[in-house]
Amino acid sequence: MMGVEFDSVTVRVGGKTILEDVSFSVEDSFSLGIAGPNGAGKTTLLKTILGFVKPFRGSVRVFGLDPVKEGNRVRRMVGYVPQHERISRSVPLPVREVVLMGRLVKRPPPRTPRPEDFEAVEEALRCVGMEGFEESLFSSLSGGQQQRVLVARALASNPRLLMLDEGLASVDVDGRLEIMEHLIRCHKVRGMNIIIVTHDLGLISRYCDMALLLNRRIYAFGQPSEVLRPETLRKTYGPSLAIADHW
């Protein structure tokens, strides 16, 4: 079964073309890394998968579903960590409650927590190295710790697809590697699909089955070893891009 399919998708926002004739497909049980310069349309692509953005032209399928017509069904299967999360720092929410929201929000009322919900919260926090912080206030954590908690919130619902939009950007290098090891384990053991948008090409090269270079349109799509080449990266980012020999 196909996981995500884009067929000649063009997206326009306010009369401006954000994505142009984007086509790619990945089979179920995939890990995909997406890279490109700022303003390339990466966040818009994720929002199109979620059904928050409607294509001007073309079609999208997520596990066979149309996210525009069947958005609620799609979003129940997806754990999403946006680039900028809006959790008020003035609300004294403990970490356990923040992560628990990731499960309860996908359940119809009344959203009364069950024992298995708290077990899922504990497991998600272990996955991101935040066990023992359950009673800590979210607002008291460092930026990197907060981001780990938000990843745990997305994991708590055992999503079929996890999408991280620069979700590890504020986490230190060792932390990124630790979290990615856990996520790839979930990918292999549970069959959880992963899409990670990142400027860290090393993460894509090391952990993703497939890579996609985007700058309004697709410049390359395939295995990381084929995609992340200097000539293709310069076409995507511009000729002035400086490329290190090793990531």
Side-chain angles (χ1 to χ4, degrees):
M1 179 181 183
M2 298 309 296
V4 174
E5 300 173 86
F6 274 59
D7 184 8
S8 302
V9 172
T10 293
V11 172
R12 293 180 179 173
V13 178
K16 181 181 179 181
T17 299
I18 308 300
L19 297 175
E20 183 177 7
D21 197 27
V22 170
S23 294
F24 72 94
S25 62
V26 283
E27 293 186 1
D28 198 2
S29 191
F30 66 86
S31 57
L32 171 65
I34 300 177
N38 293 332
K42 303 183 295 296
T43 296
T44 298
L45 188 147
L46 298 188
K47 289 183 177 180
T48 304
I49 290 173
L50 289 166
F52 293 146
V53 174
K54 182 178 179 180
F56 174 77
R57 186 184 298 114
S59 63
V60 179
R61 290 290 183 274
V62 181
F63 307 118
L65 301 175
D66 182 336
V68 173
K69 296 179 180 178
E70 301 170 281
N72 287 335
R73 291 183 64 189
V74 169
R75 289 188 283 275
R76 278 196 293 270
M77 293 189 288
V78 178
Y80 178 47
V81 182
Q83 191 170 7
H84 302 291
E85 183 54 88
R86 296 174 181 172
I87 293 182
S88 175
R89 304 301 193 255
S90 63
V91 178
L93 278 176
V95 165
R96 177 182 284 110
E97 295 299 319
V98 173
V99 179
L100 189 61
M101 285 191 292
R103 285 182 69 87
L104 300 186
V105 73
K106 298 186 179 184
R107 185 181 300 163
R111 296 186 173 97
T112 304
R114 305 164 186 161
E116 59 266 31
D117 295 322
F118 292 109
E119 292 173 7
V121 167
E122 299 294 328
E123 174 61 23
L125 287 170
R126 278 194 295 271
C127 279
V128 299
M130 289 295 288
E131 65 272 27
F133 285 83
E134 292 82 358
E135 300 302 327
S136 300
L137 293 181
F138 181 79
S139 59
S140 71
L141 303 179
S142 69
Q145 289 174 325
Q146 289 181 349
Q147 204 63 27
R148 286 174 181 250
V149 171
L150 295 176
V151 174
R153 184 180 67 172
L155 281 173
S157 63
N158 295 318
R160 188 170 176 181
L161 168 61
L162 176 69
M163 300 200 303
L164 305 177
D165 188 0
E166 293 290 348
L168 304 179
S170 60
V171 179
D172 61 75
V173 174
D174 289 341
R176 285 184 220 166
L177 297 178
E178 177 189 351
I179 292 171
M180 284 304 301
E181 291 287 347
H182 286 296
L183 296 185
I184 293 302
R185 192 173 301 118
C186 289
H187 162 60
K188 292 178 178 178
V189 174
R190 300 185 198 167
M192 181 181 74
N193 300 275
I194 298 172
I195 296 178
I196 177 169
V197 169
T198 180
H199 291 293
D200 187 340
L201 302 181
L203 284 185
I204 296 177
S205 179
R206 183 169 181 173
Y207 293 109
C208 294
D209 304 321
M210 303 293 287
L212 187 153
L213 292 181
L214 182 72
N215 191 356
R216 195 172 75 171
R217 63 184 180 86
I218 292 178
Y219 279 78
F221 172 68
Q223 294 182 354
S225 60
E226 300 170 347
V227 169
L228 303 178
R229 295 179 173 177
E231 61 273 19
T232 312
L233 291 167
R234 287 195 175 95
K235 287 179 181 178
T236 307
Y237 286 86
S240 63
L241 176 70
I243 300 173
D245 290 334
H246 301 283
W247 296 317

